[in-house]
Amino acid sequence: MGEKASRQVVVLACSGIGKTWGALARETALELVERVRPGVATTACLPLLVINDPDARCLVMEHPVITLDGCPKACARKSVEALGKKVDHPVESIQFYTAHRELKPEGVAQLNAAGLKLAQVAANELAAIVDRLAAGGQT
Amino acid sequence: MGTPVAKIGLVPCSGEALPAGTVCRLACRRVLDTLMSGQTVAICLPLFIAGGEEERGFAARHPTITVDGCEKRCAAKATELFSGKPVRALLIPDILAQRGIPMPTRLRGFGAEEEAAVQAVAETIAQAVEGVVAQAQAQENQHGAV
């Protein structure tokens, strides 16, 4: 049994509550963690990194990390980089809409049906990245 | 002379890994959009360390209310660390316990089952905003009367 095969991948989403893209990032992360790759993809509260919580810091430092940001300010990616860790696969949620323009997300508190569908599609597409990182590869 | 309170900054934890984070997110949006739409602005917590000078500056110049989903109190600690002490620091488990409302158990897809929790937290935040505004106005009036 290889250690690499059981490695968890940390998926960190933007915490923004002001934009649809933040809501899409969050929903995509939860799709990965709960539906697409449960047990392999895991998440943590991004604000824990802001206060330098030791458990969250340890999780991020010891596992491959995918960040899902909702805007170019890239809070999720920068929060990881502030710890001195390079993000393995940084993503901006808008890129999924660019690739699937038929699914236009709307809403901030709750995504509309198209937004929820786009999050499913995005998580499905990220599954291969999760698998590669879990197996010890690079993206 | 006190600075007039134009806006109150709401700093939600929005924790992604806890149901309370989702309660936080939805309750704060309700306050921002409906209950106190003219008096509040959202401050994105991770922007404190992601180079958000605007966020840090706003939180330093205006009163802030933090809303946390767990005892780690990320929002309150980060606000104090990067900007200044919040005027009110709310904790969702306390709010729900005081009202006898159970904490939701899922991270997303909130519906009728979770509505009582979201509404209770939103009302508590709105009351806190009203309190801060009233206090600031009283101070302004005091200064004006001198």
Side-chain angles (χ1 to χ4, degrees), chain A residues 13-18 23 26-27 31 34 45-48 51 53 73 75 108-109, chain B residues 12-17 22 25-26 29 32 45-47 49-50 72 74 78 107-108 110:
Chain A
C14 143
S15 289
I17 66 162
R26 181 189 182 94
E27 188 69 23
E31 274 289 307
E34 292 188 331
C45 297
L46 188 61
L48 285 172
I51 63 163
D53 177 80
K73 289 184 177 176
C75 293
V108 179
Chain B
C13 84
S14 294
E16 293 78 20
T22 307
R25 179 185 178 88
L26 296 177
R29 270 290 17 133
L32 291 159
L45 179 57
L47 272 176
I49 61 168
K72 294 205 172 186
C74 297
L107 289 170
R108 57 185 175 148
F110 275 25

PDB file of all heavy atoms in Angstrom, chain A residues 13-18 23 26-27 31 34 45-48 51 53 73 75 108-109, chain B residues 12-17 22 25-26 29 32 45-47 49-50 72 74 78 107-108 110:
ATOM      1  N   ALA A  13     -11.570  27.175  -0.618  1.00  0.00           N
ATOM      2  CA  ALA A  13     -12.366  28.116  -1.423  1.00  0.00           C
ATOM      3  C   ALA A  13     -12.336  29.502  -0.808  1.00  0.00           C
ATOM      4  O   ALA A  13     -12.188  29.662   0.406  1.00  0.00           O
ATOM      5  CB  ALA A  13     -13.808  27.630  -1.511  1.00  0.00           C
ATOM      6  N   CYS A  14     -12.490  30.478  -1.654  1.00  0.00           N
ATOM      7  CA  CYS A  14     -12.645  31.866  -1.257  1.00  0.00           C
ATOM      8  C   CYS A  14     -13.819  31.995  -0.289  1.00  0.00           C
ATOM      9  O   CYS A  14     -14.820  31.298  -0.411  1.00  0.00           O
ATOM     10  CB  CYS A  14     -12.906  32.662  -2.535  1.00  0.00           C
ATOM     11  SG  CYS A  14     -14.038  34.004  -2.460  1.00  0.00           S
ATOM     12  N   SER A  15     -13.680  32.883   0.680  1.00  0.00           N
ATOM     13  CA  SER A  15     -14.751  33.076   1.676  1.00  0.00           C
ATOM     14  C   SER A  15     -15.665  34.236   1.334  1.00  0.00           C
ATOM     15  O   SER A  15     -16.504  34.611   2.141  1.00  0.00           O
ATOM     16  CB  SER A  15     -14.147  33.356   3.052  1.00  0.00           C
ATOM     17  OG  SER A  15     -13.556  32.223   3.575  1.00  0.00           O
ATOM     18  N   GLY A  16     -15.466  34.817   0.181  1.00  0.00           N
ATOM     19  CA  GLY A  16     -16.206  36.023  -0.168  1.00  0.00           C
ATOM     20  C   GLY A  16     -17.713  35.836  -0.117  1.00  0.00           C
ATOM     21  O   GLY A  16     -18.233  34.796  -0.506  1.00  0.00           O
ATOM     22  N   ILE A  17     -18.404  36.869   0.383  1.00  0.00           N
ATOM     23  CA  ILE A  17     -19.867  36.799   0.383  1.00  0.00           C
ATOM     24  C   ILE A  17     -20.465  37.919  -0.460  1.00  0.00           C
ATOM     25  O   ILE A  17     -21.638  38.226  -0.351  1.00  0.00           O
ATOM     26  CB  ILE A  17     -20.467  36.832   1.802  1.00  0.00           C
ATOM     27  CG1 ILE A  17     -20.219  38.186   2.483  1.00  0.00           C
ATOM     28  CG2 ILE A  17     -19.935  35.707   2.653  1.00  0.00           C
ATOM     29  CD1 ILE A  17     -21.151  38.403   3.662  1.00  0.00           C
ATOM     30  N   GLY A  18     -19.636  38.504  -1.321  1.00  0.00           N
ATOM     31  CA  GLY A  18     -20.127  39.631  -2.098  1.00  0.00           C
ATOM     32  C   GLY A  18     -20.348  39.353  -3.574  1.00  0.00           C
ATOM     33  O   GLY A  18     -20.943  40.160  -4.273  1.00  0.00           O
ATOM     34  N   ALA A  23     -19.421  32.466  -4.391  1.00  0.00           N
ATOM     35  CA  ALA A  23     -20.400  31.407  -4.098  1.00  0.00           C
ATOM     36  C   ALA A  23     -20.128  30.180  -4.965  1.00  0.00           C
ATOM     37  O   ALA A  23     -20.232  29.031  -4.499  1.00  0.00           O
ATOM     38  CB  ALA A  23     -21.817  31.929  -4.350  1.00  0.00           C
ATOM     39  N   ARG A  26     -17.086  28.294  -3.566  1.00  0.00           N
ATOM     40  CA  ARG A  26     -17.457  27.533  -2.369  1.00  0.00           C
ATOM     41  C   ARG A  26     -18.241  26.272  -2.729  1.00  0.00           C
ATOM     42  O   ARG A  26     -17.958  25.181  -2.238  1.00  0.00           O
ATOM     43  CB  ARG A  26     -18.297  28.450  -1.477  1.00  0.00           C
ATOM     44  CG  ARG A  26     -18.761  27.847  -0.173  1.00  0.00           C
ATOM     45  CD  ARG A  26     -19.766  28.809   0.475  1.00  0.00           C
ATOM     46  NE  ARG A  26     -20.245  28.337   1.754  1.00  0.00           N
ATOM     47  CZ  ARG A  26     -19.724  28.676   2.921  1.00  0.00           C
ATOM     48  NH1 ARG A  26     -18.699  29.474   2.962  1.00  0.00           N
ATOM     49  NH2 ARG A  26     -20.234  28.214   4.045  1.00  0.00           N
ATOM     50  N   GLU A  27     -19.208  26.428  -3.612  1.00  0.00           N
ATOM     51  CA  GLU A  27     -20.057  25.293  -3.995  1.00  0.00           C
ATOM     52  C   GLU A  27     -19.226  24.218  -4.719  1.00  0.00           C
ATOM     53  O   GLU A  27     -19.428  23.021  -4.511  1.00  0.00           O
ATOM     54  CB  GLU A  27     -21.200  25.780  -4.892  1.00  0.00           C
ATOM     55  CG  GLU A  27     -22.261  24.744  -5.202  1.00  0.00           C
ATOM     56  CD  GLU A  27     -23.126  24.358  -4.006  1.00  0.00           C
ATOM     57  OE1 GLU A  27     -23.228  25.147  -3.046  1.00  0.00           O
ATOM     58  OE2 GLU A  27     -23.683  23.248  -4.019  1.00  0.00           O
ATOM     59  N   GLU A  31     -18.733  20.418  -3.570  1.00  0.00           N
ATOM     60  CA  GLU A  31     -19.043  19.321  -4.500  1.00  0.00           C
ATOM     61  C   GLU A  31     -17.898  18.309  -4.525  1.00  0.00           C
ATOM     62  O   GLU A  31     -18.127  17.096  -4.493  1.00  0.00           O
ATOM     63  CB  GLU A  31     -19.247  19.878  -5.915  1.00  0.00           C
ATOM     64  CG  GLU A  31     -20.636  20.362  -6.210  1.00  0.00           C
ATOM     65  CD  GLU A  31     -21.639  19.222  -6.340  1.00  0.00           C
ATOM     66  OE1 GLU A  31     -21.405  18.288  -7.121  1.00  0.00           O
ATOM     67  OE2 GLU A  31     -22.660  19.270  -5.626  1.00  0.00           O
ATOM     68  N   GLU A  34     -17.726  16.579  -0.884  1.00  0.00           N
ATOM     69  CA  GLU A  34     -18.872  15.767  -0.446  1.00  0.00           C
ATOM     70  C   GLU A  34     -19.327  14.741  -1.478  1.00  0.00           C
ATOM     71  O   GLU A  34     -19.793  13.673  -1.124  1.00  0.00           O
ATOM     72  CB  GLU A  34     -20.058  16.681  -0.097  1.00  0.00           C
ATOM     73  CG  GLU A  34     -19.804  17.533   1.133  1.00  0.00           C
ATOM     74  CD  GLU A  34     -21.040  18.290   1.605  1.00  0.00           C
ATOM     75  OE1 GLU A  34     -21.917  18.616   0.764  1.00  0.00           O
ATOM     76  OE2 GLU A  34     -21.128  18.573   2.793  1.00  0.00           O
ATOM     77  N   CYS A  45     -11.616  25.764   6.855  1.00  0.00           N
ATOM     78  CA  CYS A  45     -12.090  27.141   6.799  1.00  0.00           C
ATOM     79  C   CYS A  45     -10.912  28.049   6.453  1.00  0.00           C
ATOM     80  O   CYS A  45      -9.907  28.060   7.166  1.00  0.00           O
ATOM     81  CB  CYS A  45     -12.664  27.564   8.144  1.00  0.00           C
ATOM     82  SG  CYS A  45     -14.113  26.635   8.652  1.00  0.00           S
ATOM     83  N   LEU A  46     -11.054  28.806   5.394  1.00  0.00           N
ATOM     84  CA  LEU A  46      -9.968  29.708   4.993  1.00  0.00           C
ATOM     85  C   LEU A  46      -9.588  30.706   6.095  1.00  0.00           C
ATOM     86  O   LEU A  46      -8.399  30.984   6.287  1.00  0.00           O
ATOM     87  CB  LEU A  46     -10.365  30.446   3.703  1.00  0.00           C
ATOM     88  CG  LEU A  46      -9.280  31.277   3.038  1.00  0.00           C
ATOM     89  CD1 LEU A  46      -8.106  30.415   2.619  1.00  0.00           C
ATOM     90  CD2 LEU A  46      -9.853  32.007   1.831  1.00  0.00           C
ATOM     91  N   PRO A  47     -10.579  31.240   6.839  1.00  0.00           N
ATOM     92  CA  PRO A  47     -10.202  32.202   7.893  1.00  0.00           C
ATOM     93  C   PRO A  47      -9.257  31.626   8.950  1.00  0.00           C
ATOM     94  O   PRO A  47      -8.547  32.377   9.615  1.00  0.00           O
ATOM     95  CB  PRO A  47     -11.556  32.581   8.517  1.00  0.00           C
ATOM     96  CG  PRO A  47     -12.526  32.402   7.408  1.00  0.00           C
ATOM     97  CD  PRO A  47     -12.042  31.182   6.671  1.00  0.00           C
ATOM     98  N   LEU A  48      -9.211  30.309   9.079  1.00  0.00           N
ATOM     99  CA  LEU A  48      -8.268  29.723  10.039  1.00  0.00           C
ATOM    100  C   LEU A  48      -6.826  30.030   9.652  1.00  0.00           C
ATOM    101  O   LEU A  48      -5.953  30.148  10.508  1.00  0.00           O
ATOM    102  CB  LEU A  48      -8.462  28.206  10.123  1.00  0.00           C
ATOM    103  CG  LEU A  48      -9.694  27.721  10.893  1.00  0.00           C
ATOM    104  CD1 LEU A  48      -9.857  26.215  10.719  1.00  0.00           C
ATOM    105  CD2 LEU A  48      -9.587  28.059  12.374  1.00  0.00           C
ATOM    106  N   ILE A  51      -5.763  33.532  10.870  1.00  0.00           N
ATOM    107  CA  ILE A  51      -5.318  33.660  12.271  1.00  0.00           C
ATOM    108  C   ILE A  51      -4.192  32.674  12.588  1.00  0.00           C
ATOM    109  O   ILE A  51      -3.844  32.465  13.741  1.00  0.00           O
ATOM    110  CB  ILE A  51      -6.485  33.491  13.263  1.00  0.00           C
ATOM    111  CG1 ILE A  51      -7.097  32.083  13.182  1.00  0.00           C
ATOM    112  CG2 ILE A  51      -7.544  34.557  13.049  1.00  0.00           C
ATOM    113  CD1 ILE A  51      -7.954  31.722  14.386  1.00  0.00           C
ATOM    114  N   ASP A  53      -3.992  29.399  12.522  1.00  0.00           N
ATOM    115  CA  ASP A  53      -4.382  28.269  13.368  1.00  0.00           C
ATOM    116  C   ASP A  53      -3.417  27.095  13.123  1.00  0.00           C
ATOM    117  O   ASP A  53      -3.190  26.699  11.970  1.00  0.00           O
ATOM    118  CB  ASP A  53      -5.817  27.856  13.019  1.00  0.00           C
ATOM    119  CG  ASP A  53      -6.270  26.638  13.795  1.00  0.00           C
ATOM    120  OD1 ASP A  53      -6.639  26.804  14.962  1.00  0.00           O
ATOM    121  OD2 ASP A  53      -6.226  25.528  13.235  1.00  0.00           O
ATOM    122  N   LYS A  73      -8.347  39.059  -6.717  1.00  0.00           N
ATOM    123  CA  LYS A  73      -7.611  39.331  -5.474  1.00  0.00           C
ATOM    124  C   LYS A  73      -7.037  38.043  -4.888  1.00  0.00           C
ATOM    125  O   LYS A  73      -6.108  38.094  -4.089  1.00  0.00           O
ATOM    126  CB  LYS A  73      -8.509  40.044  -4.468  1.00  0.00           C
ATOM    127  CG  LYS A  73      -8.792  41.483  -4.886  1.00  0.00           C
ATOM    128  CD  LYS A  73      -9.603  42.229  -3.859  1.00  0.00           C
ATOM    129  CE  LYS A  73      -9.799  43.679  -4.303  1.00  0.00           C
ATOM    130  NZ  LYS A  73     -10.650  44.448  -3.398  1.00  0.00           N
ATOM    131  N   CYS A  75      -7.694  35.644  -2.658  1.00  0.00           N
ATOM    132  CA  CYS A  75      -7.484  35.497  -1.207  1.00  0.00           C
ATOM    133  C   CYS A  75      -7.065  34.089  -0.815  1.00  0.00           C
ATOM    134  O   CYS A  75      -6.205  33.906   0.040  1.00  0.00           O
ATOM    135  CB  CYS A  75      -8.762  35.836  -0.451  1.00  0.00           C
ATOM    136  SG  CYS A  75      -9.206  37.559  -0.570  1.00  0.00           S
ATOM    137  N   VAL A 108     -25.846  35.197  -4.814  1.00  0.00           N
ATOM    138  CA  VAL A 108     -24.687  35.248  -3.927  1.00  0.00           C
ATOM    139  C   VAL A 108     -24.932  34.353  -2.711  1.00  0.00           C
ATOM    140  O   VAL A 108     -24.157  33.443  -2.427  1.00  0.00           O
ATOM    141  CB  VAL A 108     -24.387  36.695  -3.483  1.00  0.00           C
ATOM    142  CG1 VAL A 108     -23.195  36.714  -2.538  1.00  0.00           C
ATOM    143  CG2 VAL A 108     -24.109  37.578  -4.694  1.00  0.00           C
ATOM    144  N   ALA A 109     -26.036  34.608  -2.011  1.00  0.00           N
ATOM    145  CA  ALA A 109     -26.352  33.758  -0.859  1.00  0.00           C
ATOM    146  C   ALA A 109     -26.604  32.323  -1.332  1.00  0.00           C
ATOM    147  O   ALA A 109     -26.082  31.368  -0.767  1.00  0.00           O
ATOM    148  CB  ALA A 109     -27.573  34.301  -0.126  1.00  0.00           C
TER     149      ALA A 109
ATOM    150  N   PRO B  12     -17.920  38.581   8.497  1.00  0.00           N
ATOM    151  CA  PRO B  12     -18.358  37.200   8.760  1.00  0.00           C
ATOM    152  C   PRO B  12     -17.195  36.227   8.620  1.00  0.00           C
ATOM    153  O   PRO B  12     -16.310  36.430   7.792  1.00  0.00           O
ATOM    154  CB  PRO B  12     -19.387  36.956   7.656  1.00  0.00           C
ATOM    155  CG  PRO B  12     -18.985  37.857   6.544  1.00  0.00           C
ATOM    156  CD  PRO B  12     -18.186  38.993   7.123  1.00  0.00           C
ATOM    157  N   CYS B  13     -17.213  35.181   9.431  1.00  0.00           N
ATOM    158  CA  CYS B  13     -16.169  34.164   9.251  1.00  0.00           C
ATOM    159  C   CYS B  13     -16.428  33.377   7.964  1.00  0.00           C
ATOM    160  O   CYS B  13     -15.509  33.017   7.257  1.00  0.00           O
ATOM    161  CB  CYS B  13     -16.093  33.232  10.458  1.00  0.00           C
ATOM    162  SG  CYS B  13     -17.253  31.864  10.468  1.00  0.00           S
ATOM    163  N   SER B  14     -17.681  33.083   7.684  1.00  0.00           N
ATOM    164  CA  SER B  14     -18.057  32.328   6.470  1.00  0.00           C
ATOM    165  C   SER B  14     -17.321  31.005   6.353  1.00  0.00           C
ATOM    166  O   SER B  14     -17.051  30.544   5.249  1.00  0.00           O
ATOM    167  CB  SER B  14     -17.802  33.142   5.193  1.00  0.00           C
ATOM    168  OG  SER B  14     -18.637  34.245   5.163  1.00  0.00           O
ATOM    169  N   GLY B  15     -16.950  30.420   7.461  1.00  0.00           N
ATOM    170  CA  GLY B  15     -16.150  29.192   7.439  1.00  0.00           C
ATOM    171  C   GLY B  15     -16.731  28.121   6.527  1.00  0.00           C
ATOM    172  O   GLY B  15     -17.898  27.756   6.648  1.00  0.00           O
ATOM    173  N   GLU B  16     -15.891  27.629   5.628  1.00  0.00           N
ATOM    174  CA  GLU B  16     -16.368  26.687   4.601  1.00  0.00           C
ATOM    175  C   GLU B  16     -16.562  25.278   5.134  1.00  0.00           C
ATOM    176  O   GLU B  16     -17.271  24.478   4.525  1.00  0.00           O
ATOM    177  CB  GLU B  16     -15.365  26.635   3.437  1.00  0.00           C
ATOM    178  CG  GLU B  16     -15.254  27.911   2.642  1.00  0.00           C
ATOM    179  CD  GLU B  16     -14.417  28.960   3.337  1.00  0.00           C
ATOM    180  OE1 GLU B  16     -13.630  28.598   4.220  1.00  0.00           O
ATOM    181  OE2 GLU B  16     -14.585  30.150   3.015  1.00  0.00           O
ATOM    182  N   ALA B  17     -15.932  24.961   6.260  1.00  0.00           N
ATOM    183  CA  ALA B  17     -15.940  23.576   6.715  1.00  0.00           C
ATOM    184  C   ALA B  17     -16.963  23.311   7.815  1.00  0.00           C
ATOM    185  O   ALA B  17     -17.023  22.193   8.338  1.00  0.00           O
ATOM    186  CB  ALA B  17     -14.542  23.190   7.203  1.00  0.00           C
ATOM    187  N   THR B  22     -21.943  28.443   7.068  1.00  0.00           N
ATOM    188  CA  THR B  22     -23.000  28.698   6.089  1.00  0.00           C
ATOM    189  C   THR B  22     -24.106  29.559   6.711  1.00  0.00           C
ATOM    190  O   THR B  22     -24.629  30.474   6.067  1.00  0.00           O
ATOM    191  CB  THR B  22     -23.594  27.361   5.583  1.00  0.00           C
ATOM    192  OG1 THR B  22     -22.519  26.548   5.114  1.00  0.00           O
ATOM    193  CG2 THR B  22     -24.581  27.582   4.445  1.00  0.00           C
ATOM    194  N   ARG B  25     -22.766  33.058   6.693  1.00  0.00           N
ATOM    195  CA  ARG B  25     -22.793  33.632   5.352  1.00  0.00           C
ATOM    196  C   ARG B  25     -24.209  34.094   4.962  1.00  0.00           C
ATOM    197  O   ARG B  25     -24.405  35.221   4.508  1.00  0.00           O
ATOM    198  CB  ARG B  25     -22.291  32.550   4.398  1.00  0.00           C
ATOM    199  CG  ARG B  25     -22.247  32.873   2.954  1.00  0.00           C
ATOM    200  CD  ARG B  25     -21.834  31.607   2.196  1.00  0.00           C
ATOM    201  NE  ARG B  25     -21.822  31.854   0.779  1.00  0.00           N
ATOM    202  CZ  ARG B  25     -20.784  32.327   0.110  1.00  0.00           C
ATOM    203  NH1 ARG B  25     -19.671  32.586   0.744  1.00  0.00           N
ATOM    204  NH2 ARG B  25     -20.849  32.548  -1.178  1.00  0.00           N
ATOM    205  N   LEU B  26     -25.183  33.217   5.164  1.00  0.00           N
ATOM    206  CA  LEU B  26     -26.552  33.542   4.757  1.00  0.00           C
ATOM    207  C   LEU B  26     -27.156  34.639   5.632  1.00  0.00           C
ATOM    208  O   LEU B  26     -27.865  35.523   5.142  1.00  0.00           O
ATOM    209  CB  LEU B  26     -27.423  32.284   4.809  1.00  0.00           C
ATOM    210  CG  LEU B  26     -27.025  31.171   3.827  1.00  0.00           C
ATOM    211  CD1 LEU B  26     -27.914  29.944   4.012  1.00  0.00           C
ATOM    212  CD2 LEU B  26     -27.113  31.662   2.389  1.00  0.00           C
ATOM    213  N   ARG B  29     -25.618  38.008   4.661  1.00  0.00           N
ATOM    214  CA  ARG B  29     -26.180  38.486   3.382  1.00  0.00           C
ATOM    215  C   ARG B  29     -27.571  39.068   3.595  1.00  0.00           C
ATOM    216  O   ARG B  29     -27.926  40.068   2.979  1.00  0.00           O
ATOM    217  CB  ARG B  29     -26.270  37.345   2.370  1.00  0.00           C
ATOM    218  CG  ARG B  29     -25.135  37.080   1.479  1.00  0.00           C
ATOM    219  CD  ARG B  29     -24.738  37.984   0.363  1.00  0.00           C
ATOM    220  NE  ARG B  29     -25.160  39.347   0.227  1.00  0.00           N
ATOM    221  CZ  ARG B  29     -24.333  40.351  -0.058  1.00  0.00           C
ATOM    222  NH1 ARG B  29     -23.055  40.153  -0.179  1.00  0.00           N
ATOM    223  NH2 ARG B  29     -24.770  41.564  -0.222  1.00  0.00           N
ATOM    224  N   LEU B  32     -27.127  42.462   5.051  1.00  0.00           N
ATOM    225  CA  LEU B  32     -26.575  43.380   4.048  1.00  0.00           C
ATOM    226  C   LEU B  32     -27.597  43.746   2.975  1.00  0.00           C
ATOM    227  O   LEU B  32     -27.650  44.882   2.506  1.00  0.00           O
ATOM    228  CB  LEU B  32     -25.361  42.740   3.373  1.00  0.00           C
ATOM    229  CG  LEU B  32     -24.115  42.572   4.247  1.00  0.00           C
ATOM    230  CD1 LEU B  32     -23.206  41.497   3.673  1.00  0.00           C
ATOM    231  CD2 LEU B  32     -23.370  43.893   4.374  1.00  0.00           C
ATOM    232  N   LEU B  45     -12.976  38.710   5.045  1.00  0.00           N
ATOM    233  CA  LEU B  45     -11.947  38.426   6.041  1.00  0.00           C
ATOM    234  C   LEU B  45     -10.579  38.039   5.452  1.00  0.00           C
ATOM    235  O   LEU B  45      -9.552  38.597   5.863  1.00  0.00           O
ATOM    236  CB  LEU B  45     -12.467  37.332   6.987  1.00  0.00           C
ATOM    237  CG  LEU B  45     -11.557  36.855   8.097  1.00  0.00           C
ATOM    238  CD1 LEU B  45     -11.116  38.000   8.990  1.00  0.00           C
ATOM    239  CD2 LEU B  45     -12.264  35.798   8.923  1.00  0.00           C
ATOM    240  N   PRO B  46     -10.515  37.114   4.499  1.00  0.00           N
ATOM    241  CA  PRO B  46      -9.191  36.746   3.979  1.00  0.00           C
ATOM    242  C   PRO B  46      -8.457  37.896   3.299  1.00  0.00           C
ATOM    243  O   PRO B  46      -7.247  37.853   3.146  1.00  0.00           O
ATOM    244  CB  PRO B  46      -9.492  35.624   2.985  1.00  0.00           C
ATOM    245  CG  PRO B  46     -10.789  35.071   3.458  1.00  0.00           C
ATOM    246  CD  PRO B  46     -11.550  36.258   3.966  1.00  0.00           C
ATOM    247  N   LEU B  47      -9.197  38.941   2.910  1.00  0.00           N
ATOM    248  CA  LEU B  47      -8.526  40.081   2.289  1.00  0.00           C
ATOM    249  C   LEU B  47      -7.625  40.816   3.274  1.00  0.00           C
ATOM    250  O   LEU B  47      -6.739  41.566   2.873  1.00  0.00           O
ATOM    251  CB  LEU B  47      -9.548  41.058   1.707  1.00  0.00           C
ATOM    252  CG  LEU B  47      -9.997  40.795   0.273  1.00  0.00           C
ATOM    253  CD1 LEU B  47     -11.077  41.779  -0.130  1.00  0.00           C
ATOM    254  CD2 LEU B  47      -8.829  40.899  -0.687  1.00  0.00           C
ATOM    255  N   ILE B  49      -5.274  39.544   4.883  1.00  0.00           N
ATOM    256  CA  ILE B  49      -3.884  39.161   4.628  1.00  0.00           C
ATOM    257  C   ILE B  49      -3.567  39.064   3.138  1.00  0.00           C
ATOM    258  O   ILE B  49      -2.436  38.836   2.778  1.00  0.00           O
ATOM    259  CB  ILE B  49      -3.472  37.839   5.320  1.00  0.00           C
ATOM    260  CG1 ILE B  49      -4.296  36.673   4.849  1.00  0.00           C
ATOM    261  CG2 ILE B  49      -3.485  37.977   6.798  1.00  0.00           C
ATOM    262  CD1 ILE B  49      -3.695  35.356   5.296  1.00  0.00           C
ATOM    263  N   ALA B  50      -4.555  39.226   2.298  1.00  0.00           N
ATOM    264  CA  ALA B  50      -4.301  39.123   0.859  1.00  0.00           C
ATOM    265  C   ALA B  50      -4.080  40.501   0.247  1.00  0.00           C
ATOM    266  O   ALA B  50      -4.332  40.716  -0.932  1.00  0.00           O
ATOM    267  CB  ALA B  50      -5.448  38.403   0.167  1.00  0.00           C
ATOM    268  N   LYS B  72     -13.183  29.280  17.731  1.00  0.00           N
ATOM    269  CA  LYS B  72     -11.870  29.770  17.289  1.00  0.00           C
ATOM    270  C   LYS B  72     -11.910  31.266  16.979  1.00  0.00           C
ATOM    271  O   LYS B  72     -10.885  31.916  16.942  1.00  0.00           O
ATOM    272  CB  LYS B  72     -11.382  28.976  16.075  1.00  0.00           C
ATOM    273  CG  LYS B  72     -11.094  27.522  16.456  1.00  0.00           C
ATOM    274  CD  LYS B  72     -10.092  26.843  15.550  1.00  0.00           C
ATOM    275  CE  LYS B  72      -9.725  25.490  16.124  1.00  0.00           C
ATOM    276  NZ  LYS B  72      -8.653  24.818  15.384  1.00  0.00           N
ATOM    277  N   CYS B  74     -12.247  33.290  14.418  1.00  0.00           N
ATOM    278  CA  CYS B  74     -11.324  33.814  13.395  1.00  0.00           C
ATOM    279  C   CYS B  74     -11.625  35.270  13.041  1.00  0.00           C
ATOM    280  O   CYS B  74     -10.703  36.079  12.888  1.00  0.00           O
ATOM    281  CB  CYS B  74     -11.419  32.980  12.124  1.00  0.00           C
ATOM    282  SG  CYS B  74     -10.931  31.276  12.325  1.00  0.00           S
ATOM    283  N   ALA B  78      -8.920  38.114  13.755  1.00  0.00           N
ATOM    284  CA  ALA B  78      -8.261  38.717  12.590  1.00  0.00           C
ATOM    285  C   ALA B  78      -8.554  40.207  12.507  1.00  0.00           C
ATOM    286  O   ALA B  78      -7.672  41.001  12.169  1.00  0.00           O
ATOM    287  CB  ALA B  78      -8.717  38.017  11.312  1.00  0.00           C
ATOM    288  N   LEU B 107     -23.699  21.461   5.253  1.00  0.00           N
ATOM    289  CA  LEU B 107     -22.862  22.586   4.842  1.00  0.00           C
ATOM    290  C   LEU B 107     -23.524  23.458   3.775  1.00  0.00           C
ATOM    291  O   LEU B 107     -23.143  24.603   3.580  1.00  0.00           O
ATOM    292  CB  LEU B 107     -21.534  22.078   4.276  1.00  0.00           C
ATOM    293  CG  LEU B 107     -20.543  21.483   5.276  1.00  0.00           C
ATOM    294  CD1 LEU B 107     -19.384  20.808   4.556  1.00  0.00           C
ATOM    295  CD2 LEU B 107     -20.010  22.567   6.204  1.00  0.00           C
ATOM    296  N   ARG B 108     -24.494  22.899   3.072  1.00  0.00           N
ATOM    297  CA  ARG B 108     -25.097  23.643   1.955  1.00  0.00           C
ATOM    298  C   ARG B 108     -26.503  23.128   1.699  1.00  0.00           C
ATOM    299  O   ARG B 108     -26.952  22.202   2.365  1.00  0.00           O
ATOM    300  CB  ARG B 108     -24.238  23.499   0.711  1.00  0.00           C
ATOM    301  CG  ARG B 108     -24.029  22.059   0.318  1.00  0.00           C
ATOM    302  CD  ARG B 108     -23.082  21.938  -0.847  1.00  0.00           C
ATOM    303  NE  ARG B 108     -22.810  20.540  -1.133  1.00  0.00           N
ATOM    304  CZ  ARG B 108     -22.575  20.063  -2.321  1.00  0.00           C
ATOM    305  NH1 ARG B 108     -22.572  20.865  -3.362  1.00  0.00           N
ATOM    306  NH2 ARG B 108     -22.326  18.793  -2.503  1.00  0.00           N
ATOM    307  N   PHE B 110     -29.280  24.774   2.170  1.00  0.00           N
ATOM    308  CA  PHE B 110     -30.171  25.141   3.270  1.00  0.00           C
ATOM    309  C   PHE B 110     -31.597  25.366   2.757  1.00  0.00           C
ATOM    310  O   PHE B 110     -31.815  25.897   1.677  1.00  0.00           O
ATOM    311  CB  PHE B 110     -29.670  26.424   3.942  1.00  0.00           C
ATOM    312  CG  PHE B 110     -28.623  26.194   5.007  1.00  0.00           C
ATOM    313  CD1 PHE B 110     -27.813  25.076   4.986  1.00  0.00           C
ATOM    314  CD2 PHE B 110     -28.455  27.112   6.035  1.00  0.00           C
ATOM    315  CE1 PHE B 110     -26.847  24.871   5.965  1.00  0.00           C
ATOM    316  CE2 PHE B 110     -27.490  26.924   7.014  1.00  0.00           C
ATOM    317  CZ  PHE B 110     -26.688  25.807   6.984  1.00  0.00           C
TER     318      PHE B 110
END
